[in-house]
Amino acid sequence: MIGALENILRRPKTVVVIMLVMLLAGVTAYITLPKESQPDIDVPYLYVSISQSGVSPADAERLLARPMETELRNLDGLKNITSTSTNGHASVFLEFDINFDKDQALVDTREKVDAAKSKLPDDANEPTIHEISANGFATITVALFGDIPERTLVNIAQELEDDLKGISTVRDVNMAGNREEVLDVIVDLLKLESYNLTTNQLFDALARNNLVVAAGTLDTGQGKFALEVPGLIENAIDVFNLPLKTDGNTIVTFGDVATVKRTFKDATNFTRVNGQPAIILEVNKRLGANIIDTSQFVRDTVEKAKAEWPQGVQASYMLDQAKFSKDMLDSLQSAVLTAIALVMIVTVAMLGIRPAIMVGIAIPTSFMMAFFFLQLIGMTVNMMIMFGLVLTVGMLVDGAIVIVEYADRKISEGMERREAFIRAAKLMFWPVVSSTATTLAAFLPMLLWPGIIGKFMSYLPIMVIITLIASLITAMIFLPVIGGLVARRRVSEKEKKAAQSLSVHNHFDPKEVPGFTGAYVRFLNLIIRRPLMVLIVGVASIVGIFMYYGQNPTGMEAFPSIEPEYATVAVTGRGNYSPVEIRDMLIEVEKEILKVDGIEDIVMNFGSTGAVTDTPPDTIGNFQLEFTPFRDRRYAKEIFADIRANVADISGLGVELLEAEEGPPVGKDINMRVVATSYSDLTPTVAKIRDFVENELGNTIEVEDGRSLPGIDWSLTVNREKAALFGIGVRELAPYVQLVTSGVTIGTYR
């Protein structure tokens, strides 16, 4: 090993060329590596959403959730499966092993979902599979608003959504605040009866005339032609003129018994931005994509599309995580540069200018090599990577200092500089390698940290390990070659004589060493001669520290609290509220939130997934908050206190504040799962536990549980015997019930 090292060091031109190539590759890697605020890890969660209009929670659990659970429970790597059933909807939550392959898990889940479709009711909507991100917020949110017709704004938003999805670094775009366009057919029941028609005849007429028939090909002997019979409904006039019945020469059309108009579905969700109605587009970047570049691509795309928009349409950018990421990375870069400057100051003070410069070369060289290795293994630059750099600034120069100091001493004794550095590398090889290995051994166990937190934290030890290995290469190969080229050549006779006096070949007397070094040597000589006393004092100090901390504990938490830049206000309420009632209640809360200083943007959202997936089960809506920059505002806890105080007098509603977690998702401080064989046993037990946590445990806020929410359901019981006397059954009655509730979808049109 030592012989191979010497052979390498005696080829300085080759080593210098390799060093310059590595530096250039490292600079290029740092420029091109994706930048993000925190590690975008694969969270081992998926959930499947199934909906069916009008189905009760009990039926949703029986008809939607159970068949899906039966198929999904055999997925490879699945740890837990839970389902939640509500009015018209069921969701199945899947938790996989932390080391799962998300792409393969998605493929397997899709196969199981496709297999379960045949077991679902015919009128159930298509099941959808959703990924869960470690960061609950979108990368950037684009809000569209203006004093223009709703249809125009919706069309602009849909076109912009398509443009944003075309960006290569964008994973998906979620639109909120828009309504689906429909043809509204309002049936006059009196006219329907006068023409002796039924609703089933309306449905059948539309189904028979709203399709494309692929008629095959026609071979005339002189050519072969494809035939199709186009019959799709494309506008309201097509429905208005659609024939329903003929009586002699009289034709009864939809227009005779119904009013047909182009409109939107009844509003079930509302979105407001800073107190104004709006449509928002939540853009999520792909895993590993550069968050800063993605944000800029989105902004450029929106600005380009603006040129074709009518006057009055405005777009604003909110909840842009790239802004926070850039500020954080700039701060960490400044911290790294500050640490380098401090290390250089100390090195100059201890070793002198020329040796300090050689030691300083090890810092950028090790960093650039580390970034090059990061690019090779496909990692990104994030706060954990930058923390790793800050942590290793002081450690990576240890080997360089040992090599430079020993070589400088040999030069002082009269040895030629190139030979001095080669000798230093050879003699200090195993001490430096051993020192680096012991440091690496302290960080290796962090790679075995299990769970999501372990995945998140793994970036720190990986960066430390890579940087220290790069520093070892720099100290043992690059630095000796550089030192052999730039170290001092001449040594004064006085310095040479002083250095030789300290040589092992001469008698060494600690009393003859001058200055601070002499004081340190004499103190070291004193304690070395009294090992038992040093051992007793050391052990007593350690035991005393542990005893003091045991008597005066300061508490423990997995990750320190960080001042948030974003937050979510979840508004909870229980009752049979209509969407308009929910909107009015949320606007009341919104007015109180807008009075609080320190909030830059506020997005009201309900009726869709929103920004956060861990909101309470009785959430009726949420507000996404973006705070003003921290240098211009007070602490978030003071803002939260004002929000709670402002909304305290709003009766019937609860408010829960959720900070954006700047780290791995850990959820609430206390999480408990209660399992029982029946809801009758489960409900009172959960009630007792919640009462204890809220009233007896103390110092708890925002407690929630997953019990079924109270509400009022109307049950219509059909007397089948009497219905049979009139020649009808439940199937014939169902469309009439749906007509007076949410209406009936009788087809689709383009």
Side-chain angles (χ1 to χ4, degrees):
M1 183 71 73
I2 303 298
L5 176 63
E6 184 176 358
N7 290 334
I8 294 174
L9 297 180
R10 295 194 179 280
R11 292 171 173 79
K13 293 181 180 180
T14 304
V15 173
V16 170
V17 170
I18 294 175
M19 177 181 170
L20 293 176
V21 171
M22 294 295 289
L23 283 173
L24 181 61
V27 172
T28 304
Y30 180 71
I31 295 173
T32 58
L33 275 171
K35 312 293 192 302
E36 53 190 4
S37 58
Q38 57 185 359
D40 196 355
I41 60 176
D42 278 338
V43 180
Y45 302 134
L46 298 174
Y47 75 91
V48 181
S49 176
I50 321 108
S51 61
Q52 182 180 0
S53 178
V55 67
S56 67
D59 288 338
E61 192 271 337
R62 179 172 55 87
L63 300 175
L64 304 179
R66 285 188 186 177
M68 192 61 67
E69 282 183 325
T70 302
E71 290 292 335
L72 294 174
R73 68 174 69 254
N74 295 321
L75 282 169
D76 292 336
L78 186 65
K79 288 181 61 179
N80 291 306
I81 178 171
T82 57
S83 65
T84 303
S85 301
T86 58
N87 190 19
H89 181 263
S91 61
V92 181
F93 187 83
L94 307 173
E95 179 184 358
F96 292 86
D97 182 81
I98 186 61
N99 296 315
F100 85 132
D101 183 342
K102 174 169 278 191
D103 294 335
Q104 186 60 46
L106 281 170
V107 172
D108 295 342
T109 303
R110 288 193 182 98
E111 291 178 354
K112 297 293 185 180
V113 169
D114 290 340
K117 286 180 184 178
S118 60
K119 301 177 183 178
L120 300 178
D122 294 337
D123 53 347
N125 295 324
E126 185 78 10
T128 56
I129 303 171
H130 303 268
E131 302 178 42
I132 297 179
S133 172
N135 190 348
F137 288 88
T139 302
I140 184 173
T141 297
V142 182
L144 303 178
F145 54 92
D147 187 16
I148 61 172
E150 181 182 5
R151 180 171 284 106
T152 303
L153 188 62
V154 170
N155 290 338
I156 291 174
Q158 290 173 342
E159 293 175 359
L160 181 60
E161 180 185 24
D162 293 337
D163 293 339
L164 295 176
K165 286 181 177 178
I167 300 175
S168 60
T169 57
V170 170
R171 185 186 68 197
D172 57 56
V173 181
N174 299 321
M175 186 185 301
N178 63 311
R179 293 194 288 165
E180 184 180 349
E181 186 172 329
V182 296
L183 288 181
D184 202 1
V185 180
I186 303 175
V187 180
D188 187 327
L189 296 180
L190 293 177
K191 289 184 179 180
L192 196 68
E193 186 177 354
S194 66
Y195 285 111
N196 196 23
L197 292 170
T198 65
T199 53
N200 286 333
Q201 289 176 287
L202 299 182
F203 303 157
D204 292 341
L206 188 65
R208 289 196 308 266
N209 293 278
N210 184 31
L211 72 164
V212 172
V213 178
T217 58
L218 178 63
D219 187 354
T220 64
Q222 297 180 345
K224 190 175 183 180
F225 307 94
L227 297 179
E228 69 174 24
V229 182
L232 289 179
I233 291 173
E234 297 183 359
N235 51 54
I237 300 300
D238 291 343
V239 179
F240 193 83
N241 295 327
L242 195 65
L244 296 174
K245 181 180 180 181
T246 59
D247 187 2
N249 293 327
T250 303
I251 300 176
V252 181
T253 65
F254 261 89
D256 295 326
V257 298
T259 302
V260 184
K261 62 179 181 180
R262 186 180 174 190
T263 183
F264 290 96
K265 277 187 176 181
D266 293 339
T268 57
N269 65 80
F270 293 91
T271 301
R272 293 166 62 88
V273 173
N274 296 329
Q276 295 183 353
I279 295 177
I280 64 172
L281 298 171
E282 297 175 341
V283 184
N284 296 286
K285 73 176 185 66
R286 293 185 182 276
L287 183 66
N290 191 320
I291 191 172
I292 298 174
D293 291 345
T294 301
S295 175
Q296 190 59 48
F297 292 155
V298 170
R299 291 173 180 266
D300 294 342
T301 302
V302 174
E303 294 302 320
K304 181 179 179 181
K306 271 186 178 180
E308 301 178 0
W309 294 352
Q311 291 185 351
V313 182
Q314 301 180 51
S316 63
Y317 309 98
M318 295 170 296
L319 307 174
D320 187 358
Q321 294 193 62
K323 182 169 59 177
F324 167 71
S325 301
K326 190 175 185 303
D327 292 342
M328 186 205 65
L329 289 173
D330 289 343
S331 299
L332 288 173
Q333 286 174 354
S334 300
V336 171
L337 294 176
T338 302
I340 292 173
L342 293 175
V343 170
M344 291 299 298
I345 290 172
V346 173
T347 310
V348 169
M350 295 297 177
L351 301 179
I353 295 179
R354 189 176 296 217
I357 292 175
M358 287 187 287
V359 171
I361 292 175
I363 299 176
T365 304
S366 301
F367 281 176
M368 292 305 105
M369 289 177 62
F371 284 123
F372 175 65
F373 292 143
L374 279 182
Q375 189 177 54
L376 291 180
I377 62 178
M379 298 183 72
T380 62
V381 177
N382 50 64
M383 66 178 183
M384 298 306 296
I385 294 296
M386 300 303 290
F387 286 152
L389 290 182
V390 175
L391 187 63
T392 56
V393 167
M395 293 187 292
L396 65 85
V397 296
D398 292 345
I401 290 175
V402 170
I403 296 295
V404 171
E405 195 278 333
Y406 185 86
D408 189 65
R409 179 182 152 201
K410 288 301 177 183
I411 293 174
S412 299
E413 293 177 2
M415 186 177 291
E416 194 269 331
R417 61 183 182 181
R418 181 183 177 188
E419 294 301 324
F421 274 94
I422 292 177
R423 179 178 176 82
K426 291 168 59 179
L427 293 182
M428 294 295 118
F429 178 79
W430 288 115
V432 172
V433 169
S434 301
S435 174
T436 305
T438 55
T439 307
L440 294 179
F443 287 93
L444 284 174
M446 294 184 67
L447 295 175
L448 305 178
W449 199 341
I452 297 176
I453 295 178
K455 281 282 187 181
F456 184 91
M457 291 299 298
S458 65
Y459 283 75
L460 178 63
I462 288 174
M463 188 60 192
V464 171
I465 291 170
I466 290 175
T467 306
L468 290 181
I469 291 175
S471 72
L472 179 63
I473 297 173
T474 301
M476 301 310 302
I477 298 177
F478 297 149
L479 201 56
V481 171
I482 297 299
L485 297 175
V486 303
R488 58 179 178 165
R489 291 178 180 270
R490 298 178 181 177
V491 181
S492 65
E493 288 298 326
K494 181 179 179 181
E495 185 179 358
K496 184 176 180 180
K497 184 177 180 181
Q500 290 176 347
S501 67
L502 298 176
S503 174
V504 295
H505 301 293
N506 298 299
H507 175 69
F508 175 71
D509 186 359
K511 296 180 181 179
E512 297 178 359
V513 181
F516 175 80
T517 304
Y520 168 71
V521 170
R522 287 187 287 273
F523 172 74
L524 195 62
N525 182 61
L526 177 67
I527 63 175
I528 286 177
R529 296 180 183 278
R530 294 168 177 81
L532 184 60
M533 182 189 71
V534 173
L535 182 63
I536 293 173
V537 172
V539 173
S541 300
I542 295 174
V543 173
I545 291 173
F546 273 95
M547 291 179 62
Y548 178 80
Y549 182 79
Q551 295 173 357
N552 304 275
T554 57
M556 183 183 297
E557 57 182 355
F559 292 93
S561 178
I562 301 177
E563 184 64 21
E565 299 289 331
Y566 309 100
T568 293
V569 180
V571 182
T572 60
R574 299 189 174 189
N576 293 80
Y577 299 121
S578 69
V580 175
E581 289 177 313
I582 295 176
R583 179 199 62 188
D584 294 341
M585 289 187 290
L586 292 179
I587 290 176
E588 187 177 359
V589 176
E590 180 186 56
K591 291 178 181 178
E592 298 299 329
I593 297 177
L594 288 171
K595 297 177 183 178
V596 178
D597 294 330
I599 299 176
E600 184 172 345
D601 290 308
I602 174 173
V603 179
M604 185 192 87
N605 202 6
F606 84 92
S608 60
T609 57
V612 178
T613 58
D614 57 352
T615 52
D618 52 352
T619 298
I620 61 174
N622 63 69
F623 296 90
Q624 301 172 44
L625 309 182
E626 180 179 6
F627 300 128
T628 53
F630 182 62
R631 62 180 178 272
D632 301 325
R633 65 169 170 87
R634 49 203 176 133
Y635 286 102
K637 62 181 181 180
E638 299 176 11
I639 297 176
F640 292 161
D642 286 351
I643 293 175
R644 290 190 177 98
N646 287 2
V647 303
D649 296 332
I650 301 178
S651 60
L653 296 179
V655 169
E656 183 168 326
L657 296 167
L658 308 170
E659 296 182 17
E661 296 181 339
E662 301 300 338
V666 295
K668 294 194 174 184
D669 297 326
I670 300 176
N671 294 276
M672 183 180 298
R673 176 178 295 177
V674 183
V675 181
T677 55
S678 67
Y679 281 108
S680 59
D681 298 331
L682 187 68
T683 303
T685 304
V686 173
K688 290 179 181 179
I689 294 174
R690 176 162 184 169
D691 179 69
F692 172 80
V693 172
E694 286 183 319
N695 302 319
E696 299 184 34
L697 190 61
N699 297 324
T700 58
I701 59 173
E702 298 174 347
V703 181
E704 63 185 67
D705 63 76
R707 286 177 292 171
S708 300
L709 302 179
I712 300 173
D713 293 329
W714 289 357
S715 178
L716 301 180
T717 304
V718 178
N719 189 321
R720 289 180 171 82
E721 294 181 357
K722 290 187 177 180
L725 295 176
F726 296 97
I728 59 175
V730 176
R731 185 182 64 180
E732 289 76 21
L733 289 173
Y736 290 95
V737 177
Q738 292 176 328
L739 276 174
V740 299
T741 54
S742 57
V744 180
T745 301
I746 54 179
T748 58
Y749 83 108
R750 295 187 179 183

